[in-house]
Amino acid sequence: MSNDAFEVQVQHFAVLKSKYQATKYEDSSPSSLLYLILRKADLGFEISKFERKWLQEHELLETRKAIEQELQRKEEEPKKLAAEFSQLKSKFKVTRPREFGISSPLYPILWKLDSENQLTDLEVKYLKEQGLTETVAVVQEMARFAALKAKYQATEYPDCSLDSPLYQILKQLDARQILSDVEANWLFNNQLMDTLEIFWQQKAGREAEFAQLKDKYKASEYAETSVSSPLYQILKNLDADMQLSESELNWLQEHQLRETLSMVLEIEQTRHFAELKVKYKATTYEDSSLSSHLYKVLKKIDLESQLGEPDINFLKKRKLTETITLALDKYAASLKSKIQSGEPLSEADIDWVKQNGRDDVITFAIENYVVSLKSKIKSGEQLSEADIDWLKQNGREDVITFAQEKEFAALKSKYDVSNYKDRAPSSPLYAILQKLNKGERLEPTDVAWLEENKLEASQPSNSYYGWQEERRYQGQRLFSGKIFTAYHKIEALFYEQQYKGTGNKWNLANASSHWRKAEQPGSALNLTENLDLDKIKENKLKSALLTTRGGAFRDINKLDDTEKCALKAIEYQPQSHHPYTLMGAICFERGQFLEGERWFNEAIKRGASPRDQDAEMKRVVKNAKNGKRREVVEYLLKKDPQRYAWAKFYRNRQDG
């Protein structure tokens, strides 16, 4: 080792001994173990157990303690740095704190900003490149604060925080705003006398300005000279050609400044006249006096008032044709607004429209009414006769057609025939549904038409079982479902009325039959409940009444009562097939198939059709419960699988 290197080590050892309180150790040779221990400690290496023991043996306890403290300091220092950096990032609004570590250039920049309150252009550029816009804004605010301190002679005040009361005060001074007594006292208490002097100068200037404004706007009678008076700001606004608020006008009135108010009114009117000239293309007219007739005309236009012939002539003579056009458009727009709100046009309005050739207003009125009628139609309301007459007079039959289509669609939905192919109101179905909806009886031709026409066939699916589903799949007759029941309800009510009017009990039989077909057996039973058969001479009528009453009992599954009525009906008229058919149906519903067949055969002997038997079988199957239904179905398919093929649909069907 050269002498120079050795000498450096000797000096380094001496520095370390001083730093770690080991100067009493006499050996200064770099070859000493102490030198190694101190070098390791200074570099942050942990001291071994052997080394700690060596220090203790050589009575270097203070050195050992100093080494431990230094190691602890080196361990804690990074945490302190991180905490300080975090505080700086928060203080200076760094929006992405996790992206910048301790080794980032941002740390010294923020440290400098915190200590020196300013940055170089290069440092600001770095902040911008990092997208730290809020931090840059803080820097700019601090620069502004510094500039204001210089401008208003407050540089001796040490606090540069943006939260400092001084910053707010200086901004107010710069905006020539009035300081409060508290703010002025703050400057005085902080010995910022030069700044306070500037404020007093501003205050004196404002007071002089206030006096001039009071004189200019005839408010000198108001004694208050302080610029904190509301009058000062009111007069400033007035002088800046700003429109005064309602509260400001009220203030002038409350303080009885009549001349000022008069001037304000004149200024406002003059401004208003100028605005109206621009708005209604009348700037070529030079007279701006408030007494000008043009001002009155323009105010009328702006208020959407109708211009009289003298006003129109006045504008024509001054070649203000654009103004006339705008006036007519404005009034026409007001009429359209009136129409839109639902208010009818007066005779005078209509005369004006005709005189000025404003057919667009008439067209608008028609279209607006058409829109309201369509809205009425869409909501489900019916057009009145007056509405229909108006539509015809104005050539809007399309709306009548629209109403009919909507009504037709609603009626088809109501009566479950929405998939009927014909949607035109000219369809016979439309007239028929209208009758049903009004409770009117159908003509025989209507019923025949319903019998002949069918719904569009539905696509077959696994969910369709049974007689009703089979019919739907094949294309169900229109004379079924809700149409069928509605028709029979109307007929039932008709025959009830006939009975009340004539006393003819055949009307009771007819009404009862129709109530059953309308699926209201309760009404049929009520109608035939108090029959005194002894007073009825005609056996055929007695049998008919008992048969229809028995059928109603069957409808509500009171088969014993049904049987009593059917057997009694047979007694009164043994040759009628109807009670025999009823007995056959009862037996099948009870599971007495052979007995049922016997009764059906007796019915056929007396004129019943096999179709009547099939209809009863379908009804039995449809109304039967699961177990009994399968029993009936299997019996029918075994007897005649071709005739009773429809029963297959009920084989696996479960009760609803």
Side-chain angles (χ1 to χ4, degrees):
M1 182 186 298
S2 66
N3 289 333
D4 289 342
F6 180 78
E7 188 60 34
V8 167
Q9 285 187 338
V10 170
Q11 291 176 4
H12 183 222
F13 189 15
V15 170
L16 290 176
K17 285 204 290 185
S18 175
K19 179 177 180 180
Y20 291 100
Q21 301 180 30
T23 52
K24 66 179 181 178
Y25 187 70
E26 293 180 357
D27 188 353
S28 298
S29 170
S31 60
S32 168
L33 179 58
L34 180 61
Y35 184 38
L36 174 62
I37 293 171
L38 296 182
R39 283 168 65 195
K40 284 174 66 179
D42 206 46
L43 290 171
F45 290 104
E46 190 175 350
I47 305 304
S48 68
K49 186 189 292 185
F50 170 78
E51 289 166 331
R52 286 197 296 274
K53 186 178 180 183
W54 188 90
L55 291 171
Q56 187 172 357
E57 288 171 352
H58 289 78
E59 298 181 353
L60 292 170
L61 296 178
E62 291 185 11
T63 302
R64 179 176 166 179
K65 184 178 179 182
I67 289 171
E68 289 172 353
Q69 289 176 343
E70 180 65 14
L71 287 173
Q72 186 178 357
R73 187 190 69 79
K74 285 184 177 179
E75 186 180 343
E76 293 176 353
E77 195 63 26
K79 296 178 183 177
K80 287 183 180 179
L81 288 173
E84 290 170 2
F85 189 22
S86 179
Q87 289 174 354
L88 288 173
K89 285 188 285 189
S90 176
K91 180 177 180 179
F92 293 109
K93 300 182 180 179
V94 176
T95 51
R96 302 193 309 276
R98 292 185 181 179
E99 296 180 19
F100 300 97
I102 294 176
S103 59
S104 164
L106 182 63
Y107 196 176
I109 290 175
L110 297 184
W111 188 282
K112 179 184 175 185
L113 182 61
D114 195 48
S115 59
E116 300 179 16
N117 302 305
Q118 59 182 353
L119 297 178
T120 64
D121 292 343
L122 192 62
E123 290 163 338
V124 173
K125 182 182 177 184
Y126 171 82
L127 295 176
K128 290 179 179 177
E129 288 171 350
Q130 299 304 313
L132 300 174
T133 52
E134 289 189 61
T135 309
V136 172
V138 172
V139 172
Q140 292 169 342
E141 281 286 287
M142 292 176 72
R144 184 188 176 197
F145 189 12
L148 289 174
K149 285 168 81 173
K151 181 177 180 180
Y152 293 101
Q153 301 177 27
T155 50
E156 67 269 23
Y157 187 72
D159 188 358
C160 293
S161 168
L162 296 178
D163 296 328
S164 167
L166 179 60
Y167 186 33
Q168 302 306 317
I169 290 171
L170 295 182
K171 283 195 289 185
Q172 284 179 254
L173 284 177
D174 204 48
R176 301 190 68 80
Q177 293 175 353
I178 302 169
L179 297 186
S180 66
D181 291 341
V182 172
E183 290 166 330
N185 288 336
W186 189 92
L187 291 174
F188 181 81
N189 293 334
N190 285 274
Q191 298 183 355
L192 294 169
M193 305 309 294
D194 291 338
T195 309
L196 192 58
E197 179 63 31
I198 293 171
F199 163 65
W200 284 333
Q201 289 173 4
Q202 285 187 358
K203 184 179 179 184
R206 281 193 290 269
E207 287 173 351
E209 181 190 27
F210 189 16
Q212 291 172 355
L213 289 172
K214 285 202 288 184
D215 184 58
K216 180 177 180 180
Y217 293 104
K218 300 181 180 179
S220 300
E221 61 192 85
Y222 185 70
E224 178 66 60
T225 59
S226 170
V227 292
S228 60
S229 165
L231 181 60
Y232 176 52
Q233 190 58 50
I234 291 172
L235 296 182
K236 278 184 71 178
N237 291 344
L238 195 56
D239 205 49
D241 201 28
M242 291 171 61
Q243 189 168 354
L244 298 188
S245 66
E246 189 174 347
S247 61
E248 289 172 327
L249 291 170
N250 288 339
W251 192 94
L252 293 174
Q253 196 164 4
E254 286 168 9
H255 290 81
Q256 299 182 357
L257 295 170
R258 295 183 184 83
E259 289 186 274
T260 309
L261 273 169
S262 179
M263 290 184 72
V264 169
L265 180 60
E266 188 175 341
I267 291 167
E268 290 293 332
Q269 288 177 331
T270 302
R271 182 191 295 114
H272 186 225
F273 189 10
E275 289 171 354
L276 291 177
K277 275 185 172 185
V278 173
K279 187 175 181 179
Y280 296 109
K281 312 286 186 185
T283 50
T284 55
Y285 190 72
E286 294 181 359
D287 187 358
S288 296
S289 65
L290 298 177
S291 60
S292 166
H293 185 64
L294 178 63
Y295 185 33
K296 296 175 185 175
V297 172
L298 295 182
K299 283 195 289 185
K300 277 188 185 179
I301 297 171
D302 205 49
L303 291 170
E304 299 181 346
S305 298
Q306 182 181 332
L307 293 188
E309 193 174 345
D311 295 330
I312 297 291
N313 290 334
F314 174 84
L315 295 172
K316 282 180 179 177
K317 286 178 182 177
R318 283 140 187 92
K319 299 181 180 179
L320 296 173
T321 52
E322 285 186 285
T323 308
I324 295 171
T325 301
L326 289 170
L328 295 176
D329 289 344
K330 182 93 172 176
Y331 191 64
S334 74
L335 292 181
K336 289 178 182 179
S337 178
K338 187 177 181 181
I339 292 164
Q340 201 163 24
S341 68
E343 190 180 346
L345 297 182
S346 65
E347 288 296 326
D349 293 333
I350 295 168
D351 289 343
W352 182 91
V353 168
K354 291 176 180 177
Q355 289 168 10
N356 291 278
R358 294 307 296 246
D359 294 339
D360 58 306
V361 177
I362 301 297
T363 303
F364 180 83
I366 292 171
E367 289 302 321
N368 188 74
Y369 192 56
V370 164
V371 168
S372 70
L373 289 179
K374 283 187 174 181
S375 177
K376 182 178 177 181
I377 293 163
K378 287 176 183 176
S379 68
E381 289 186 58
Q382 300 293 316
L383 293 180
S384 66
E385 288 299 322
D387 292 334
I388 293 169
D389 289 343
W390 183 89
L391 288 166
K392 287 178 179 177
Q393 289 168 11
N394 288 279
R396 293 308 300 262
E397 284 82 358
D398 60 306
V399 180
I400 299 173
T401 303
F402 174 72
Q404 291 171 338
E405 288 171 350
K406 282 287 180 184
E407 185 189 19
F408 191 15
L411 289 172
K412 286 199 291 183
S413 176
K414 179 177 179 180
Y415 290 97
D416 246 353
V417 289
S418 293
N419 60 334
Y420 181 65
K421 59 185 177 181
D422 194 349
R423 292 174 173 79
S426 57
S427 167
L429 180 60
Y430 179 38
I432 290 170
L433 294 181
Q434 283 181 309
K435 286 182 183 179
L436 291 176
N437 209 45
K438 293 174 184 175
E440 296 178 7
R441 296 183 75 204
L442 299 186
E443 298 293 334
T445 51
D446 295 329
V447 176
W449 187 89
L450 290 170
E451 287 279 8
E452 291 168 4
N453 287 273
K454 298 179 179 181
L455 295 173
E456 291 181 354
S458 303
Q459 291 298 318
S461 76
N462 292 333
S463 64
Y464 286 171
Y465 293 103
W467 176 50
Q468 185 68 24
E469 286 77 4
E470 178 199 7
R471 292 177 66 192
R472 186 179 296 278
Y473 166 61
Q474 292 176 343
Q476 184 176 323
R477 287 181 305 132
L478 284 171
F479 196 51
S480 61
K482 291 184 178 179
I483 290 178
F484 184 83
T485 55
Y487 164 78
H488 284 292
K489 181 180 178 181
I490 292 168
E491 290 297 306
L493 291 170
F494 169 76
Y495 282 110
E496 277 193 24
Q497 289 301 116
Q498 289 293 302
Y499 170 69
K500 289 175 183 177
T502 64
N504 187 341
K505 287 187 172 58
W506 275 108
N507 289 314
L508 282 182
N510 287 328
S512 176
S513 177
H514 283 296
W515 277 125
R516 287 189 62 214
K517 291 173 183 176
E519 297 180 359
Q520 295 187 35
S523 297
L525 290 171
N526 290 336
L527 202 60
T528 58
E529 189 171 11
N530 297 314
L531 291 173
D532 188 350
L533 296 176
D534 293 335
K535 291 184 178 180
I536 300 173
K537 295 178 181 179
E538 193 178 351
N539 284 340
K540 184 178 179 181
L541 175 56
K542 290 179 183 180
S543 179
L545 287 167
L546 286 166
T547 302
T548 186
R549 183 168 175 79
F553 277 125
R554 180 194 169 199
D555 293 338
I556 60 174
N557 205 31
K558 289 188 175 182
L559 299 183
D560 290 344
D561 291 327
T562 305
E563 184 177 1
K564 289 176 186 176
C565 289
L567 293 174
K568 195 72 174 173
I570 290 171
E571 284 182 28
Y572 282 119
Q573 195 180 21
Q575 295 308 311
S576 172
H577 64 81
H578 297 292
Y580 291 90
T581 302
L582 183 57
M583 282 301 299
I586 294 170
C587 291
F588 264 86
E589 289 193 359
R590 288 172 171 170
Q592 300 166 345
F593 304 138
L594 294 177
E595 182 69 8
E597 292 284 4
R598 188 180 70 77
W599 283 108
F600 279 132
N601 288 333
E602 291 297 322
I604 289 171
K605 288 178 186 178
R606 289 161 177 76
S609 165
R611 288 171 57 188
D612 295 334
Q613 182 181 348
D614 288 351
E616 291 300 334
M617 288 298 96
K618 287 177 180 177
R619 185 170 175 194
V620 167
V621 171
K622 181 183 176 186
N623 294 333
K625 300 299 180 183
N626 288 336
K628 189 171 287 187
R629 174 183 292 151
R630 280 193 293 272
E631 189 181 349
V632 177
V633 166
E634 294 304 330
Y635 173 81
L636 294 174
L637 290 174
K638 186 176 180 181
K639 180 185 176 185
D640 192 338
Q642 205 164 12
R643 178 180 176 183
Y644 299 113
W646 52 264
K648 293 177 184 177
F649 288 94
Y650 285 90
R651 255 184 173 153
N652 301 314
R653 182 172 175 180
Q654 298 296 313
D655 287 337

